[in-house]
Amino acid sequence: GKPFIHPSPGDLSAIEGMYESKYFDLSVNKTDAFVYYALEKNPCRYSTAGISFVSFGMADGSNKIDIKAFKPVVKWEIKQLKNKYSTVNDSTISFELNEPKKLLVTADFGNNEVHNFIVSAEKPNQYKVDKNDKSVLYLGSGVHQKGQAWDPFTNGIKTLYLEGGAVLEATIKTKNKEGVRILGNGILMQAKWDHPKKATNNLERGWSANGMGTFISHSQNVEVKGIAIMCSPSFQLEIAGCKNVVLDNLKLCAHGEVNNDGIHAYGSEIEINDCFIAASDDRICIAGRYDLDNGQVFTNGDSLMYRMTDCISENNTIKNCVFWGIQNGGDLMLSWNTSLETRKIVVENCESLTPVNKGFLSAKFGGSGHVRDISIRNCHLYHPDLFAIEIVEASCFGYGGGKISDITLENITIDAEPDQVGKYITGKTESSNIYNIVLKNVTANGKKLTSRGSTKIKLNEFAKEPIFE
C-alpha cells in the first residue's frame, strides 16, 4: 500500500533551531519522508545533540521502514522492537510495521557521538476540518510565526489546525475557553524563546505562564491532538485548572532545556492517550501547583515570583504512552506539592524507555494534600528504576504534611533481574507518610516479585511495607 507522507515545510531558514535532519533519512514503502531536526537554544550539558523527528500516515497492510544515517553507525538500537529489525549495512536499518507505533531510534556513531530519532507511524487522515469554516484557523504547510504567549482562540476561532508540513513558531497561552481544539500533524516550534529564568531581567515576570511552551488554563472541553511540540523553553504542555480535556497522539520532543516537563495534567477528566513524551525533566506531572497568572507577585527569598495555586486532580487517565527521560525527573510524577486531593488516576499500557535520576513512579512531595487511589497496569519498563517516591518538608510553594496512599501496580514487566529493581519509598513523619502500595504480578525478567527483600527498593520508617500479590 501507499503511505500518507506529509508535505515538506519548504524553506526553514526563518525558524530558529530547526533544519532538515543532517543525520537521518527515512522512507516508507520506498516513499521518502521529510525528517526534521531541532536544536534547543539552551541545551543542558547532557543533551547537546538535538533531536530528529518524523511522522507519517501508515499504508494498509505492511509498512517497510528504511532509515539511513548520513555516516557509518557503530551501533543501532530500537528497544521497543526487541531486535526485530535488520541492519542492511553500517548506515541503514530496516523494519516492518503493521500497526501504529511511536519509536525511539538511537544511532551510536562512535567517539561519544550519539543521535536520536523519534519516529511516529500513525493512522492516516485522522484530523479533518473545513478550511472555509470561520471558526477554524487553518495553517497550511510552510512556516508561520505568531510570537510568544500567542492566544489563537480569539475573534470566534475555536480550532487551530496545523496541516502536516506546517511549522508554527510560537508559544501558546490561553485561558477561560470552552470547546477549543488544536489539531493536525504539524509542528509547534519554540526554540526562539529562552527559558523563563533567562528570558528577562524583570524579576516580577519570574516563572510566568508567558515563558512556558503551551499553557491552557481554566478551560473546559479542550482537545489537543496530533501535533508535535519541539524545543519548548520550559514546560511543554501545561493543562491547569481545566475539565474535560483530551490529549491524543502528541509528540513532545524536548531534548535539552532544563525544566522541559512533558505534560502537567492539573484538573479533572483529563485523558492522555497515545503520546510520545520526551522530556529533560518529568514526563507527566499528575498534580502540582501552577502560575495563577493574575499579575500578583510575592517575595520568595531574593526574587519575586508569580503567585501559585492548585486544583484537585481526579478522574484522569494516561494510556498507551511512551516515556523517554533524558536528564532528570520521573515518568509519572505524582505531585509537585499540591495542597488538595489527587485521586482516581488510571495509567495503562505505557512504556518507560530509560532511567534517569528518579523512577517510573515518582514523587518529591512537599505539599499538604493527599495523593491516593492510583491504578497502574500493563506497563513495560526497559530499566530497573520502579519507584522514586519521597515526601519532603515544605518546598516549591508547598506547605508540607501531605501523604501518599492506595497505589496499585498490576501486570508490570521490568527488563532487569529482581535484585536490580529499585529505588526508594520514603515518608517524612508518622502523619506525613506512605502506605498501602500493592504490587500484583510485577515481574523482573519473567520472575514474579514476591517481597521487597528480593529487590533493591529502600524504605524508611514512615513508609509501610509494600504488599506483593
Side-chain angles (χ1 to χ4, degrees):
K2 189 174 181 180
F4 185 85
I5 302 298
H6 303 303
S8 164
D11 183 5
L12 289 171
S13 61
I15 299 292
E16 185 168 332
M18 176 165 277
Y19 319 91
E20 184 173 6
S21 179
K22 59 183 178 181
Y23 298 104
F24 302 103
D25 196 6
L26 178 142
S27 65
V28 188
N29 294 347
K30 298 184 179 181
T31 302
D32 286 335
F34 186 91
V35 178
Y36 295 87
Y37 170 77
L39 184 65
E40 306 243 349
K41 189 169 186 178
N42 297 297
C44 70
R45 64 183 183 275
Y46 300 104
S47 307
T48 58
I51 188 73
S52 295
F53 167 77
V54 71
S55 68
F56 57 88
M58 299 182 70
D60 292 335
S62 178
N63 289 253
K64 173 81 177 324
I65 315 299
D66 295 301
I67 298 175
K68 179 178 176 58
F70 292 167
K71 62 180 179 178
V73 175
V74 174
K75 180 183 178 182
W76 290 97
E77 183 177 43
I78 311 175
K79 289 182 180 179
Q80 298 148 279
L81 295 186
K82 300 180 180 178
N83 297 319
K84 293 180 180 178
Y85 47 83
S86 59
T87 303
V88 178
N89 53 50
D90 61 1
S91 62
T92 304
I93 188 169
S94 301
F95 52 91
E96 291 192 5
L97 294 177
N98 296 309
E99 58 184 10
K101 189 77 173 173
K102 291 176 169 59
L103 298 170
L104 176 66
V105 180
T106 299
D108 185 344
F109 293 100
N111 297 318
N112 296 315
E113 184 181 2
V114 176
H115 288 274
N116 295 288
F117 186 12
I118 297 171
V119 176
S120 185
E122 306 174 4
K123 296 178 183 178
N125 301 318
Q126 296 184 69
Y127 315 108
K128 296 180 180 180
V129 297
D130 182 354
K131 288 185 180 181
N132 298 316
D133 186 337
K134 292 183 179 179
S135 71
V136 175
L137 176 57
Y138 191 104
L139 301 183
S141 59
V143 168
H144 308 268
Q145 295 173 296
K146 298 294 184 179
Q148 188 176 34
W150 175 54
D151 186 354
F153 304 114
T154 59
N155 301 318
I157 297 297
K158 289 288 190 177
T159 299
L160 169 63
Y161 185 83
L162 305 183
E163 180 184 60
V167 178
L168 168 60
E169 187 178 55
T171 63
I172 291 177
K173 184 176 79 168
T174 191
K175 62 181 178 179
N176 300 321
K177 298 299 192 301
E178 166 71 36
V180 297
R181 304 184 301 170
I182 303 174
L183 305 178
N185 296 107
I187 293 176
L188 183 56
M189 178 61 179
Q190 302 172 325
K192 183 176 181 178
W193 292 278
D194 281 310
H195 187 283
K197 284 188 176 179
K198 300 174 183 175
T200 178
N201 292 321
N202 178 4
L203 292 178
E204 290 191 357
R205 182 172 171 185
W207 274 84
S208 81
N210 288 344
M212 297 181 193
T214 302
F215 180 75
I216 303 173
S217 70
H218 301 93
S219 299
Q220 295 189 59
N221 304 316
V222 174
E223 295 181 8
V224 185
K225 296 182 177 180
I227 66 168
I229 297 177
M230 306 192 80
C231 298
S232 171
S234 181
F235 311 140
Q236 296 175 70
L237 175 57
E238 180 157 280
I239 303 298
C242 294
K243 184 175 183 179
N244 293 329
V245 178
V246 177
L247 310 177
D248 184 76
N249 188 27
L250 302 179
K251 287 73 64 173
L252 306 188
C253 304
H255 196 255
E257 183 65 84
V258 68
N259 304 118
N260 273 132
D261 293 9
I263 297 173
H264 287 186
Y266 304 158
S268 60
E269 309 293 341
I270 299 173
E271 176 185 330
I272 304 170
N273 182 58
D274 189 27
C275 295
F276 187 102
I277 305 173
S280 294
D281 212 328
D282 303 317
R283 271 61 77 196
I284 293 182
C285 291
I286 292 171
R289 315 210 80 197
Y290 61 91
D291 176 14
L292 191 57
D293 196 37
N294 63 358
Q296 299 180 44
V297 295
F298 70 98
T299 301
N300 178 38
D302 294 327
S303 65
L304 294 173
M305 303 289 283
Y306 269 74
R307 189 173 300 279
M308 306 296 285
T309 190
D310 51 11
C311 62
I312 291 175
S313 291
E314 63 180 353
N315 297 319
N316 299 336
T317 61
I318 301 163
K319 298 182 179 181
N320 309 310
C321 292
V322 180
F323 304 125
W324 178 30
I326 299 169
Q327 176 197 8
N328 188 27
D331 292 323
L332 302 167
M333 176 55 68
L334 290 173
S335 177
W336 275 103
N337 304 327
T338 181
S339 64
L340 302 172
E341 283 211 339
T342 300
R343 61 196 180 204
K344 298 181 181 179
I345 310 296
V346 175
V347 181
E348 291 184 332
N349 302 319
C350 292
E351 297 178 296
S352 175
L353 299 183
T354 52
V356 282
N357 68 325
K358 293 187 174 68
F360 170 65
L361 183 62
S362 297
K364 191 171 182 181
F365 186 30
S368 58
H370 189 175
V371 178
R372 62 182 178 87
D373 195 8
I374 315 291
S375 296
I376 303 170
R377 47 186 179 256
N378 304 324
C379 294
H380 186 171
L381 280 63
Y382 292 85
H383 60 87
D385 294 346
L386 181 58
F387 295 123
I389 303 175
E390 179 183 17
I391 297 178
V392 297
E393 294 178 351
S395 62
C396 294
F397 314 109
Y399 302 109
K403 57 182 61 182
I404 298 170
S405 73
D406 303 298
I407 298 173
T408 300
L409 294 93
E410 184 172 7
N411 298 332
I412 308 299
T413 301
I414 303 171
D415 288 357
E417 288 298 309
D419 62 1
Q420 297 175 316
V421 175
K423 300 167 53 176
Y424 55 83
I425 305 170
T426 58
K428 187 60 184 176
T429 67
E430 289 288 349
S431 60
S432 184
N433 58 357
I434 302 170
Y435 58 92
N436 200 23
I437 294 181
V438 179
L439 288 78
K440 297 181 178 181
N441 192 35
V442 177
T443 61
N445 280 352
K447 301 160 190 168
K448 185 176 179 180
L449 301 185
T450 57
S451 71
R452 187 174 61 87
S454 65
T455 73
K456 292 171 62 177
I457 300 169
K458 296 180 180 179
L459 228 64
N460 73 353
E461 67 270 31
F462 305 120
K464 297 290 185 182
E465 194 71 37
I467 300 165
F468 289 80
E469 297 180 357

